[in-house]
Amino acid sequence: MSKPGAKGKIAITCLLVIALFFLARATGGERGDLSFVETILRDITAPFKSGAMFVYDKVSGIPEFFTSRNALKEQIAELEQKNEELQLEVNRLTEAAIENTRLRQLLNLQEELAASWDPVATKVIAYHDESNRQTVTINSGEKDGLQIGQAVVAKEGMVGRITAVSSNTAEVLLILDKEGTVAALEQASRTPGVVEGAGLGKQELYMLHIPYDAPIAKNRTVVSSGLTDTYPAGLRIGYITNIEVESGGLMLKATLRPFVDFDRLEEVIVLKPRGGNAES
Amino acid sequence: MKKNILLAITLFICVILQETWMYGLRIGNAQPNLVLLFVVFYALFYGWQGGALLGFCAGFFMDLCSGYYIGLTAISFMVTGALIGLFVGEFYEENYFIIALAAALGSLLNAIIYWFCIYLLGNQVPFWQSLFHNFLPNMLYNCVIACIVYVPLLFFYSNKRE
């Protein structure tokens, strides 16, 4: 039997189309059951379809995993930024609260001192911690009536005295400096002595020339005695941390821890004596 | 024989994927028809007779697997495969324009033939609405998918031929 030619093939195709059409017409509409071939084929293909769906579910979950991951990342970044902003806000408010407390204490001190002194509140604008000289610069000067020798205090206690003034600034020699001597007395026993800085950048003071039998003890407060015109009496200087015999063996020497934290000195008060110069 | 087995496996995979994965790739009303694209590609390479034969097998297999009117998909695929094979004739394998054009034409032909058969069977589906809501979006989608699928398919069959 010879193979059909092109025309024959076209004719077969047309016949097949017609046959299929009638098949479709016969099978369309409500059918009670599927044919045997349909049932078999559907059963055979079912596991493959379910496998494909399983893979599809897994694969289609991947973009969602990434998108949700990205969304989470964005959310985390957003929250981190918000957290950072809130942290900054907290810092700002904390700073404001601390400053408020500090200024309130300074104001109280200013009011206390105002009876006999003319206090000028000012700010420290520079620190100079050199090996041979410990000073700070404040942003008030001659224009504000500041003069050399005037005492500078902070809310915690004594800071130092002015050693140089310009029209807008002044240099304050800290009591930490060896040159920053102050006439003092141990508050409880009223034992007199001279307080000077330990120098060399140490946050320590020495109280010298204490009588050998003076009833002083550790942790007691030392205040200014007011024997000089520079400092008013009763200004807190520091507390005793150690007592030892001076090199001569006749006097005692006490080591003091200053009340003022000189590393965190921000606002200070300059005490201008009422109606007089404080040249030392 | 080997070629026929390979063809049958490819067709089987295409039908399974068509009934599972392709639904997930729907964009609006448009859904790619992987089996139809396979028939179109085959018709491009093996002419109208190959296209018609594969179209018939593929369509009939799909009808039996999940069809309502047994034979309608077979008609539409067979006629589409034959017409694509007839119209396009010989072409340069790497001419993607022809591939996209054949996919678009095949998609539209298949949809129209199917619609016509349905119409003859007494189902009044509005043509213009179907054209704009289904046929053309499907045509565009198939066009895009054809270009994407054609590259690995060409590579695979080129290697097999060598």
Side-chain angles (χ1 to χ4, degrees):
Chain A
M1 193 180 156
S2 61
K3 281 189 176 178
K7 281 184 182 176
K9 283 177 184 172
I10 292 172
I12 290 170
T13 307
C14 291
L15 283 174
L16 201 55
V17 168
I18 294 165
L20 284 171
F21 181 75
F22 281 107
L23 180 65
R25 191 168 185 170
T27 54
E30 290 298 319
R31 278 194 288 159
D33 290 316
L34 293 173
S35 66
F36 176 72
V37 182
E38 283 174 291
T39 313
I40 291 283
L41 275 178
R42 287 179 195 210
D43 286 347
I44 288 172
T45 53
F48 292 99
K49 287 179 188 173
S50 93
M53 276 314 283
F54 176 78
V55 174
Y56 176 77
D57 287 343
K58 291 285 172 197
V59 172
S60 63
I62 293 172
E64 196 185 330
F65 170 77
F66 282 107
T67 50
S68 65
R69 196 164 171 266
N70 286 343
L72 278 175
K73 265 186 171 179
E74 279 170 20
Q75 205 174 351
I76 287 170
E78 206 174 290
L79 287 172
E80 273 178 352
Q81 197 185 336
K82 199 169 254 184
N83 186 36
E84 219 165 89
E85 285 170 11
L86 287 173
Q87 192 61 50
L88 283 174
E89 182 69 10
V90 167
N91 287 350
R92 198 182 61 76
L93 291 173
T94 310
E95 185 64 22
I98 291 169
E99 192 178 19
N100 189 22
T101 313
R102 215 167 52 219
L103 292 174
R104 200 178 290 274
Q105 287 170 338
L106 204 63
L107 190 66
N108 291 342
L109 179 67
Q110 201 170 353
E111 281 167 3
E112 278 172 29
L113 294 168
S116 49
W117 299 82
D118 194 6
V120 178
T122 183
K123 279 198 150 206
V124 173
I125 54 169
Y127 299 84
H128 314 283
D129 188 8
E130 293 153 18
S131 59
N132 60 340
R133 202 164 171 81
Q134 283 175 280
T135 59
V136 292
T137 304
I138 54 176
N139 73 342
S140 299
E142 228 162 14
K143 278 185 181 170
D144 305 290
L146 304 195
Q147 289 177 0
I148 291 172
Q150 287 172 345
V152 180
V153 296
K155 61 183 188 297
E156 297 93 351
M158 191 176 289
V159 172
R161 66 170 195 273
I162 293 173
T163 51
V165 282
S166 68
S167 52
N168 291 311
T169 64
E171 188 183 72
V172 179
L173 182 71
L174 304 179
I175 53 171
L176 289 177
D177 194 279
K178 264 197 163 315
E179 301 293 318
T181 51
V182 184
L185 51 85
E186 195 266 292
Q187 197 174 29
S189 65
R190 314 308 288 176
T191 306
V194 174
V195 170
E196 66 174 33
L200 303 170
K202 288 183 186 174
Q203 294 271 329
E204 270 181 359
L205 303 165
Y206 296 135
M207 186 171 173
L208 307 170
H209 314 314
I210 306 168
Y212 191 82
D213 56 349
I216 58 168
K218 281 185 186 177
N219 295 324
R220 286 196 182 164
T221 302
V222 175
V223 295
S224 58
S225 64
L227 289 178
T228 61
D229 292 338
T230 309
Y231 301 107
L235 276 181
R236 285 160 28 109
I237 298 173
Y239 62 94
I240 298 170
T241 56
N242 189 36
I243 302 165
E244 57 188 296
V245 181
E246 272 189 28
S247 53
L250 298 173
M251 305 290 248
L252 292 178
K253 173 185 169 185
T255 306
L256 311 183
R257 181 85 191 160
F259 287 117
V260 174
D261 186 352
F262 290 94
D263 288 336
R264 291 177 179 78
L265 205 53
E266 289 176 59
E267 290 94 12
V268 293
I269 292 174
V270 181
L271 301 179
K272 286 197 300 184
R274 284 192 187 279
N277 285 352
E279 204 80 44
S280 64
Chain B
M1 183 64 184
K2 235 180 176 181
K3 183 192 148 197
N4 289 339
I5 292 171
L6 185 68
L7 204 62
I9 291 170
T10 313
L11 182 63
F12 184 79
I13 292 170
C14 282
V15 171
I16 297 292
L17 291 181
Q18 180 61 38
E19 292 185 5
T20 53
W21 288 26
M22 291 306 121
Y23 187 77
L25 294 178
R26 283 178 78 95
I27 300 174
N29 290 328
Q31 183 181 331
N33 194 330
L34 211 58
V35 184
L36 176 70
L37 290 178
F38 184 50
V39 171
V40 168
F41 291 157
Y42 196 81
L44 286 175
F45 284 99
Y46 295 97
W48 77 269
Q49 293 171 40
L53 187 63
L54 187 76
F56 167 74
C57 294
F60 202 61
F61 183 57
M62 282 187 79
D63 281 334
L64 288 174
C65 282
S66 55
Y68 178 65
Y69 291 102
I70 307 295
L72 272 200
T73 317
I75 293 174
S76 64
F77 276 19
M78 186 168 70
V79 176
T80 305
L83 291 177
I84 292 293
L86 275 175
F87 288 156
V88 178
E90 285 193 10
F91 74 105
Y92 183 52
E93 277 182 5
E94 287 171 7
N95 189 340
Y96 288 91
F97 177 71
I98 294 290
I99 299 300
L101 188 73
L105 197 65
S107 181
L108 198 61
L109 271 173
N110 176 64
I112 291 172
I113 293 163
Y114 196 90
W115 177 88
F116 185 65
C117 290
I118 289 279
Y119 181 80
L120 288 180
L121 287 171
N123 287 352
Q124 304 296 317
V125 183
F127 178 76
W128 294 109
Q129 200 179 332
S130 299
L131 180 71
F132 290 111
H133 281 86
N134 294 95
F135 302 172
L136 293 178
N138 279 341
M139 186 187 82
L140 282 175
Y141 205 167
N142 278 330
C143 216
V144 174
I145 294 291
C147 292
I148 297 168
V149 170
Y150 182 69
V151 179
L153 210 66
L154 180 67
F155 180 74
F156 180 71
Y157 277 96
S158 300
N159 283 352
K160 283 279 162 199
R161 261 193 307 218
E162 280 163 19

